[in-house]
Amino acid sequence: MNDTIGVFDVAVIGGGPAGLATAIAIAQTGARTALVARRASYADNRTTALLGGSVAFLEDLGVWQRCRDDAAELKVMRLVDDTGRLIRAPEVRFVADEIGLDMFGYNIENRLLVAALEGRAAEIAGLTRIADDAETVVAEDAVVTITTASGQALSAQLVVGADGRHSLCREAAGIAVVRRALNQTALTFNIAHTRPHRNTSTEFHTPSGPCVFVPLPGERSSVVWVGSPSEAQRLFALDDEALSLAAEKQSHSILGRVTVEAGRHVFPLAIERPQQLAQRRIALVGEAAHVVPPIGAQGLNMGLRDAMDLAGLVDKAKAVGDDLGAPQLLTRYGTARRADILSRTFAIDVANRSLLSDLLPMQSLRAAGMHLIGSIGPLRRLAMREGLAPSWRSRAG
Ligand SMILES: Cc1cc2nc3c(=O)[nH]c(=O)nc-3n(C[C@H](O)[C@H](O)[C@H](O)COP(=O)(O)OP(=O)(O)OC[C@H]3O[C@@H](n4cnc5c(N)ncnc54)[C@H](O)[C@@H]3O)c2cc1C
């Protein structure tokens, strides 16, 4: 038998960084909000380079103030062709002050960002935490009904599916997803090093994918090393000393002697694109709405823009007493997010394919593109601005 917990304006399902940010943003509009998410400490060692408007958004949520000191400033981004091929691209350096910024953003460990989001979520009176998994999500005419694994029931006008790659909410909304597994795996780990990073992130482009060293506070960096699944597994299985040496070699010793920290994870890479972003009173955010390989640090930055836009639409609908799950709101959300998600997914896919391609014309094209970006100021500045956030973007509403 079900215990009925209550009726909410909005229920957010999933307590990863995208779900927590969405729940806080929506609760801050005054909507009665439920967050259906088990309490569990963040399980991997990924970090996020927060770019564009992400930091300002986290500030508006009252979250950034809690974790600012845990983040490292990103002032310079270097792209280095390490393919060893005949036709190689020149090094490209993006410097924040060239576009009038002190920095591009900040890099922070996800576990610390999630702890700050959790801390803020816990202090908002209008945000009810239901520390459980959603087991069923059923969209009806006027509400969506959710049953949790322990048999509690709740309903809401709007459900936000922030439940990641294998989204139950997406299934409940009847949204199909186009999925392409890439023959690449990312290995993530953090390192301490003897030379300062000088707030510079360096991305080495190898024939099997990028290997990026991103600053963390102090003389530490996070590493995302993309390669073939077998190479990633080989690196994963090395002992600490051997992996430290391998990372130092891959970084061409720019950070001096490298020592890997405890904890490493592998992520098989894929591109996933749902055919709609919202349907049947259910809107998708974060990886339920888009999965891209970790190139250009775009994934969670897009997830935070999902949260920002959806909360903006809820705020406006609430102000005029509209139904928060109405088809018009869902259509507006899809329209607001589609171009950003599609254009970034496409750009990341092309960048990744151009790196992996053995075809000489593709390598020449890539080298020429990098050369143009590196040598033509306005083009470089455009690339920098677009890399942070879409310039044409205005908030939904
Ligand atoms: C190697 C790597 C590096 C990356 N680096 C960057 C970067 O620098 N910058 C960037 O912007 N992005 C980056 N990303 C992408 C970023 O990590 C993801 O976009 C982000 O973590 C996704 O967050 P999420 O909240 O959508 O999903 P998740 O973190 O997967 O959260 C989903 C949550 O939903 C919960 N859940 C699932 N089903 C249910 C259910 N039925 N009921 C309740 N809860 C449920 C899960 O337990 C989980 O907690 C990177 C990704 C990878 C793989």
Side-chain angles (χ1 to χ4, degrees):
M1 206 178 80
N2 291 338
D3 294 331
T4 301
I5 310 170
V7 178
F8 295 87
D9 295 329
V10 181
V12 178
I13 300 185
L20 282 161
T22 310
I24 296 167
I26 290 180
Q28 283 191 173
T29 69
R32 285 166 305 153
T33 307
L35 172 62
V36 182
R38 256 183 300 123
R39 285 183 210 281
S41 42
Y42 191 78
D44 65 66
N45 60 351
R46 264 179 293 178
T47 70
T48 296
L50 294 164
L51 306 174
S54 294
V55 169
F57 178 54
L58 291 171
E59 235 159 30
D60 289 349
L61 298 187
V63 170
W64 188 239
Q65 300 77 336
R66 294 169 174 266
C67 58
R68 158 79 188 82
D69 292 343
D70 298 320
E73 296 175 355
L74 300 174
K75 296 186 173 206
V76 180
M77 297 196 185
R78 294 170 66 204
L79 307 182
V80 180
D81 188 329
D82 198 17
T83 57
R85 287 173 177 148
L86 193 61
I87 300 174
R88 257 174 285 168
E91 177 178 326
V92 176
R93 259 175 92 84
F94 296 122
V95 183
D97 68 11
E98 205 189 326
I99 50 169
L101 297 176
D102 290 337
M103 68 202 76
F104 290 118
Y106 293 83
N107 191 39
I108 184 166
E109 291 179 62
N110 286 10
R111 68 184 175 89
L112 299 173
L113 174 62
V114 165
L117 285 159
E118 286 277 10
R120 174 66 185 135
E123 68 184 20
I124 301 176
L127 178 53
T128 304
R129 177 68 169 256
I130 296 151
D132 204 350
D133 280 336
E135 195 165 84
T136 64
V137 175
V138 180
E140 294 158 29
D141 282 348
V143 288
V144 182
T145 305
I146 300 150
T147 317
T148 72
S150 63
Q152 296 175 297
L154 62 147
S155 64
Q157 291 173 35
L158 172 68
V159 160
V160 181
D163 46 353
R165 289 186 182 205
H166 308 288
S167 170
L168 173 69
C169 294
R170 193 170 60 204
E171 208 180 299
I175 298 176
V177 60
V178 180
R179 183 177 288 122
R180 181 154 55 84
L182 303 174
N183 191 27
Q184 290 170 294
T185 295
L187 169 68
T188 60
F189 55 97
N190 296 332
I191 56 171
H193 38 79
T194 53
R195 282 199 202 138
H197 49 56
R198 300 186 198 288
N199 302 98
T200 300
S201 132
T202 306
E203 188 162 310
F204 293 96
H205 289 172
T206 81
S208 48
C211 177
V212 56
F213 294 79
V214 194
L216 285 171
E219 301 205 334
R220 298 174 63 229
S221 294
S222 59
V223 183
V224 178
W225 196 338
V226 177
S228 65
S230 58
E231 178 58 6
Q233 283 303 338
R234 187 190 71 78
L235 291 166
F236 179 78
L238 294 177
D239 63 28
D240 282 358
E241 201 181 319
L243 184 59
S244 299
L245 278 174
E248 190 176 324
K249 186 163 175 235
Q250 177 55 66
S251 68
H252 298 265
S253 299
I254 56 169
L255 297 168
R257 172 150 307 166
V258 164
T259 309
V260 300
E261 297 181 350
R264 47 185 97 159
H265 292 88
V266 285
F267 298 87
L269 300 185
I271 292 184
E272 290 184 15
R273 195 168 49 77
Q275 281 174 339
Q276 276 93 33
L277 292 170
Q279 192 163 268
R280 297 188 199 156
R281 297 187 170 273
I282 298 173
L284 307 177
V285 301
E287 286 209 329
H290 40 75
V291 175
V292 292
I295 294 180
Q298 297 294 324
L300 184 56
N301 286 290
M302 284 199 287
L304 294 176
R305 292 199 287 278
D306 300 338
M308 205 185 301
D309 283 353
L310 190 56
L313 289 166
V314 166
D315 195 23
K316 288 203 169 136
K318 241 178 81 352
V320 292
D322 278 355
D323 175 355
L324 302 183
Q328 302 88 296
L329 185 145
L330 300 184
T331 304
R332 275 191 212 118
Y333 174 64
T335 307
R337 298 300 305 133
R338 191 166 299 115
D340 182 14
I341 294 170
L342 288 184
S343 63
R344 260 143 225 277
T345 304
F346 176 74
I348 291 168
D349 194 15
V350 169
N352 194 34
R353 281 175 194 253
S354 76
L355 200 58
L356 302 182
S357 174
D358 283 329
L359 299 175
L360 220 53
M362 185 61 126
Q363 290 173 22
S364 313
L365 211 62
R366 185 174 159 275
M370 299 273 280
H371 173 72
L372 289 176
I373 289 175
S375 57
I376 301 178
L379 204 57
R380 191 172 53 254
R381 289 190 279 280
L382 180 70
M384 283 191 256
R385 288 198 193 94
E386 290 301 320
L388 297 181
S391 54
W392 39 264
R393 177 186 152 73
S394 59
R395 283 196 191 190

